[in-house]
Amino acid sequence: MRPFLHYRTTRRTLISILTLLPALSSPLLTVPVLAQTTSQNPLPSWNDGAAKQAILDFVRVTTDTASPNHVPAEDRIAVFDQDGSLWVEHPMYTQVVYCLERVPAVVEKKPELKDVAPFKTVLSGDREAIARLSLRDLEEILAATATGMSVEEFNAEAKKWIGTARHPRWKRPYTELVYQPMLEVLRFLRDNGFKTFIVTGGGQDFVRVYAQQVYGIPPEQVVGTAGGTKYGYGKDGKPFLTKEPKLILNDDNAGKPEGIHLMIGRRPYAAFGNSTGDREMLERTGAGTGARLKMLVLHDDAAREYAYGPAQGLPDTKVGPFTPALYDEAKKDGWTVISMKNDWKRVFPFEH
């Protein structure tokens, strides 16, 4: 029996398991520190070029009251994909790693799962076998590790994990692997009256745990894949919400503009992404009148981060693919492609 198969997940959340599970260490949630910025140099981690200039020009024309492209303060909405756009998504989405690492705790509470697939496979530590898990298997793991508990319990577990888990390549907390240039964009937009939102295919509750500390984005400005909750009362009579294996919003592909309409209620003037899952969000943003900023991060820097596409002849990937078709659409419709290699002076806050 597979009791959680009706909980449908997204491509960006669950595709395959390709990496060693990171070790747990420091108990503190690390908060990135922005580089010193000034009004004369609001984007110090960007090289001069078309991408940087597009951001500067957009903010200038949308905030100048004399400009025909001026945007009223209440309409200044900017949306950002998270995985691969604001922080590292390779070799695997952070939330997938979290779900896998939660399996032992789930089995401890439910010993009957110990010898049942796919939990038995994860407990074996056999990376090749884990990589062969089907989408249904991964859905079952997600449902078992992210539902059936109170909202408060989930938040506490996720916060504890994100504060201790480390990336297998850099041996640093995932919260340090945010892109310094994008932190500067977030700050620059907010300094100019824009409200910044995360619009992610990842779990909404998961991202809300750390969005304020890491990005300066409050939880109510995170739109993500959302599951249902059920209201109830504890033995002490106090009310609580239980997370249920029921999908409310699949916030990926066409689900992103749908989620923006549902949760924000305004069409964005700026949208940032990095993969095919962000296409519809940028299309919807660009279909509005006036000045619109549409940007895609191209991961073409294997030395400082990762290189993958398969656009521009880069290696193919199942995690955050940037296809030739998406690249062609970007060029055709005037979207700006950000080259990580050429447009960013540095990638992470800890670089000097």
Side-chain angles (χ1 to χ4, degrees):
M1 179 179 180
R2 295 176 180 266
F4 301 109
L5 293 187
H6 59 289
Y7 187 94
R8 304 304 299 174
T9 56
T10 69
R11 173 196 54 78
R12 290 178 66 84
T13 305
L14 294 174
I15 294 179
S16 62
I17 307 304
L18 304 175
T19 183
L20 288 167
L21 300 183
L24 300 180
S25 52
S26 170
L28 299 178
L29 177 62
T30 304
V31 180
V33 178
L34 284 171
Q36 184 65 40
T37 63
T38 66
S39 58
Q40 290 75 32
N41 186 25
L43 303 173
S45 297
W46 291 73
N47 289 315
D48 291 336
K52 179 179 180 179
Q53 196 60 48
I55 299 167
L56 297 173
D57 289 346
F58 170 77
V59 171
R60 177 177 54 80
V61 301
T62 55
T63 58
D64 182 356
T65 55
S67 168
N69 288 310
H70 175 257
V71 177
E74 63 270 19
D75 290 329
R76 294 178 193 172
I77 302 295
V79 294
F80 293 76
D81 168 60
Q82 181 190 231
D83 296 312
S85 299
L86 292 178
W87 75 354
V88 172
E89 65 182 351
H90 268 223
M92 180 45 57
Y93 304 120
T94 304
Q95 189 174 358
V96 174
V97 180
Y98 166 74
C99 290
L100 290 172
E101 290 200 350
R102 283 284 299 151
V103 166
V106 170
V107 171
E108 184 177 353
K109 291 183 178 181
K110 298 180 179 180
E112 67 272 16
L113 297 177
K114 179 180 179 181
D115 296 317
V116 177
F119 304 98
K120 181 179 179 180
T121 302
V122 176
L123 292 173
S124 74
D126 185 336
R127 296 192 302 275
E128 292 184 1
I130 294 173
R132 291 195 297 270
L133 290 175
S134 69
L135 181 58
R136 281 192 170 190
D137 291 331
L138 295 171
E139 288 170 351
E140 188 164 348
I141 291 169
L142 174 65
T145 55
T147 66
M149 66 191 76
S150 72
V151 169
E152 290 76 17
E153 183 181 356
F154 174 84
N155 290 346
E157 291 292 342
K159 185 175 183 179
K160 178 181 177 181
W161 185 87
I162 201 69
T164 58
R166 301 217 167 199
H167 191 279
R169 174 175 170 181
W170 287 278
K171 312 302 180 186
R172 290 176 174 270
Y174 288 89
T175 49
E176 289 188 11
L177 299 179
V178 294
Y179 302 139
Q180 177 66 31
M182 298 304 286
L183 292 177
E184 292 168 7
V185 173
L186 287 168
R187 179 172 173 174
F188 182 44
L189 288 171
R190 289 195 290 262
D191 285 348
N192 285 276
F194 280 85
K195 186 176 287 188
T196 54
F197 291 79
I198 291 176
V199 180
T200 174
Q204 182 169 272
D205 285 349
F206 183 77
V207 180
R208 283 176 170 176
V209 166
Y210 54 82
Q212 180 78 62
Q213 291 83 0
V214 176
Y215 305 115
I217 295 177
E220 64 270 21
Q221 289 171 215
V222 174
V223 181
T225 295
T229 56
K230 184 177 181 179
Y231 188 80
Y233 299 91
K235 294 180 180 179
D236 57 2
K238 293 182 179 180
F240 66 95
L241 290 173
T242 300
K243 291 173 63 64
E244 292 196 309
K246 179 176 69 174
L247 185 66
I248 300 297
L249 172 63
N250 182 344
D251 198 57
D252 198 24
N253 299 300
K256 289 202 170 188
E258 293 167 0
I260 289 169
H261 174 74
L262 178 68
M263 304 290 287
I264 303 174
R266 297 179 188 268
R267 189 198 302 260
Y269 274 82
F272 295 76
N274 77 294
S275 76
T276 55
D278 304 310
R279 172 188 281 121
E280 291 86 348
M281 181 171 73
L282 270 69
E283 289 175 343
R284 170 71 176 168
T285 299
T289 58
R292 305 277 169 166
L293 182 64
K294 297 86 61 184
M295 307 193 82
L296 289 169
V297 177
L298 179 64
H299 293 258
D300 57 356
D301 194 333
R304 295 188 298 175
E305 202 240 17
Y306 294 99
Y308 54 96
Q312 298 298 95
L314 294 166
D316 201 354
T317 180
K318 292 181 179 180
V319 179
F322 190 139
T323 64
L326 180 63
Y327 190 90
D328 291 344
E329 181 175 0
K331 292 302 182 182
K332 171 178 170 290
D333 292 341
W335 304 353
T336 300
V337 176
I338 300 166
S339 166
M340 183 176 287
K341 183 177 182 179
N342 298 321
D343 288 318
W344 290 356
K345 291 181 181 178
R346 62 173 174 160
V347 176
F348 302 115
F350 55 80
E351 292 178 359
H352 298 290

